[in-house]
Amino acid sequence: MHPRRSRPGGAGGQSGRDKTAVTAARCAVWGAGAIGGVVGASMARAGEDVLLVDVVAEHVNAMNDSGLVIRMAGEDERTRVRAALPTAVRGTFDIVFLAVKSQYTQAALDAIEPHLHARSAVVSLQNGVNEPHIARCIGAERTIGCLVDFSSDYQAPGLIARARAGNLFVGELDGRATPRTEVVRSLLAHSTTAYTCQNIMGFVWAKMCKGTIDATTALVDENALELRFNRKYHPVRAQLVREAVEVAAAEGVQVAAFAHFDPAPFLDRSPAGREAAFLVLDEIARGQAEGNSKIRTGYWRDIVVRKRKTEIEYITGEIVRCGERRGVPTPLNRLQWTMFEEIESGTRPMQWANLDQLDAALAAIAQ
C-alpha cells in the first residue's frame, strides 16, 4: 500500500489538521468501525472538533498512538484523531453520530445520554430502522435520521478499508428543513457527497428494502458482486423487495428512490412491471460493482471473518415483525431470516441450495 498523507501531532491534540472546519459544534462519533471510522477520520482531517468513541480498546489505542488509516484504491490515508473508550468520555456534545451495529443501539444510547444537553442531536448512521427507538429514548427533537450509502470494512485496529464512495442523506424525522440538518450535512460532506431530504424515513426504509437483496449474498460463499448479476435469482430478489416495500407502505412510509434503487416497479405485478424490476436489479448490480473492490458484504464478513451475529434481525427481522403487526405477509423474508439464524448458529452451510430453496418457496407462493 502507498502512504498518501500522514498527519503530525499528538492523538489528543488539534495540531496538524486542515483548517477547513465548517462548524464550531462539539461532535462525537460513537462507534468508530467501518462507517464511523470513515466519517470520524474525514471530520478530524477537516479540522472539526470530533472525538471517536469505540468499545474495542485495541482500536482506541491504535487510533490514539498512530492515527486512523483509511485504505482506498491501494493508498493509505493516515489521520490523527482523538479516540476514547465510552467510560473515558467526559462532557457533553452538540452532535453525536451513532454508528454502532443495531443490536448495540440501546447500550450505546445508555452511554451517550449523560453526554447530551437539551439541544444536542443524535444522528443515526446505522442500518435498520433505529430512528424511532432513538426518539423514544432521548426525544424526537434530539433525533436525526440518515441513510448511509457507501462501502467500507473494519480491517484491524486503526485500519478501515473503504470501497465504493457513495452518498449520504440526512433529515429531520418530521420532514422539516432546519439549520441543524444543514450543519450535519456539512459535517458528513467531509467524507462523501451528502444531501438533506424531507422524507428521511423513506430513505431509511429504501435501504431496508435494498438490504433484503444484500442479505442474499451471504446465503452462499461466493463473490457478491458477481452474484448480484445472476438473473436466475432476480425473481427471489424482486419478491423480497416487494414484501419490504408493501410493509413500509402499511407503516405509512413512502419508500424513496436513491442511487440505482427505485421501489416503484416492484409493486407492479404485470409482466412489464416484472421486467422493469429486473432492470432495477441489474442497475443495482452495476452500481455496486462500479469502482468497488469489496467483493463480500458486511453480512458475510460478520459471519465468516468477525464470527458474530449479523444485523439481519434488525433489517429482515424488522420487516417481518412490522408485516405481522400490519397484516402484510412476508413469507420470503421470513424464510431468509430463518436461514440466517441457522447459518449463524452453524446448523446450515452457505450454499447455492439456500437460494434454490427461496426460489422454490417463491414458486409455491405464486401457485
Side-chain angles (χ1 to χ4, degrees):
M1 298 295 174
H2 307 291
R4 180 173 166 191
R5 179 163 49 183
S6 181
R7 296 293 179 199
Q14 302 260 344
S15 61
R17 290 176 173 178
D18 291 340
K19 304 306 178 183
T20 55
V22 298
T23 175
R26 185 165 189 250
C27 303
V29 175
W30 213 279
I35 301 303
V38 170
V39 169
S42 300
M43 289 172 57
R45 193 164 56 250
E48 305 293 353
D49 182 359
V50 60
L51 176 70
L52 278 65
V53 183
D54 203 90
V55 297
V56 180
E58 295 83 358
H59 188 38
V60 169
N61 292 338
M63 289 189 286
N64 282 329
D65 291 345
S66 306
L68 180 55
V69 174
I70 307 298
R71 179 171 292 166
M72 186 172 186
E75 295 188 336
D76 285 354
E77 186 170 64
R78 185 183 303 274
T79 301
R80 288 291 183 181
V81 300
R82 294 181 297 120
L85 292 168
T87 53
V89 176
R90 299 291 182 268
T92 59
F93 300 93
D94 302 310
I95 303 171
V96 177
F97 294 91
L98 181 56
V100 302
K101 292 281 187 180
S102 291
Q103 52 265 47
Y104 306 122
T105 299
Q106 187 58 57
L109 289 174
D110 290 343
I112 289 168
E113 190 164 13
H115 303 290
L116 303 178
H117 54 73
R119 300 187 65 185
S120 297
V122 172
V123 184
S124 174
L125 304 182
Q126 303 166 278
N127 293 321
V129 183
N130 290 292
E131 287 81 356
H133 178 70
I134 296 169
R136 286 192 295 271
C137 291
I138 64 168
E141 73 282 359
R142 296 200 294 188
T143 306
I144 294 176
C146 183
L147 180 154
V148 177
D149 181 38
F150 66 78
S151 300
S152 56
D153 281 320
Y154 173 92
Q155 295 284 303
L159 174 63
I160 307 295
R162 185 168 183 183
R164 186 173 53 87
N167 303 283
L168 291 154
F169 299 85
V170 63
E172 299 281 2
L173 301 190
D174 62 7
R176 289 177 302 130
T178 62
R180 71 175 186 174
T181 55
E182 177 54 32
V183 170
V184 171
R185 187 209 64 79
S186 298
L187 289 166
L188 292 173
H190 291 310
S191 52
T192 193
T193 305
Y195 304 91
T196 58
C197 63
Q198 295 180 314
N199 177 27
I200 188 58
M201 295 313 296
F203 281 89
V204 169
W205 265 96
K207 188 174 182 181
M208 287 270 285
C209 296
K210 183 174 170 291
T212 65
I213 305 169
D214 296 336
T216 62
T217 65
L219 295 177
V220 294
D221 191 6
E222 300 290 339
N223 182 313
L225 299 180
E226 295 176 357
L227 179 60
R228 286 190 178 97
F229 282 104
N230 188 337
R231 268 198 158 212
K232 175 182 177 181
Y233 299 106
H234 271 10
V236 167
R237 298 182 184 106
Q239 177 64 21
L240 289 167
V241 174
R242 179 180 299 112
E243 290 176 4
V245 175
E246 289 175 345
V247 168
E251 287 279 289
V253 175
Q254 181 179 355
V255 177
F258 78 98
H260 301 278
F261 176 73
D262 180 0
F266 295 93
L267 295 178
D268 184 350
R269 297 176 181 268
S270 70
R274 172 187 168 96
E275 183 56 30
F278 286 6
L279 290 174
V280 170
L281 293 170
D282 290 340
E283 283 301 306
I284 290 173
R286 278 190 283 270
Q288 291 291 127
E290 185 177 356
N292 192 0
S293 58
K294 182 181 173 183
I295 65 170
R296 305 291 189 180
T297 58
Y299 287 112
W300 184 93
R301 285 186 59 81
D302 277 342
I303 296 168
V304 177
V305 179
R306 306 296 296 277
K307 309 296 183 183
R308 66 184 184 186
K309 288 182 72 66
T310 69
E311 292 181 289
I312 195 75
E313 179 183 346
Y314 300 89
I315 299 172
T316 300
E318 183 64 11
I319 292 167
V320 172
R321 285 189 294 269
C322 288
E324 288 177 340
R325 188 169 63 248
R326 300 292 183 179
V328 178
T330 57
L332 223 59
N333 276 281
R334 181 181 292 278
L335 177 55
Q336 179 165 254
W337 184 17
T338 298
M339 288 179 173
F340 258 81
E341 291 180 329
E342 292 170 353
I343 290 171
E344 289 172 344
S345 67
T347 60
R348 177 187 288 265
M350 291 179 173
Q351 56 185 356
W352 288 103
N354 296 328
L355 289 174
D356 292 334
Q357 185 179 344
L358 285 171
D359 194 38
L362 175 59
I365 293 168
Q367 290 179 353

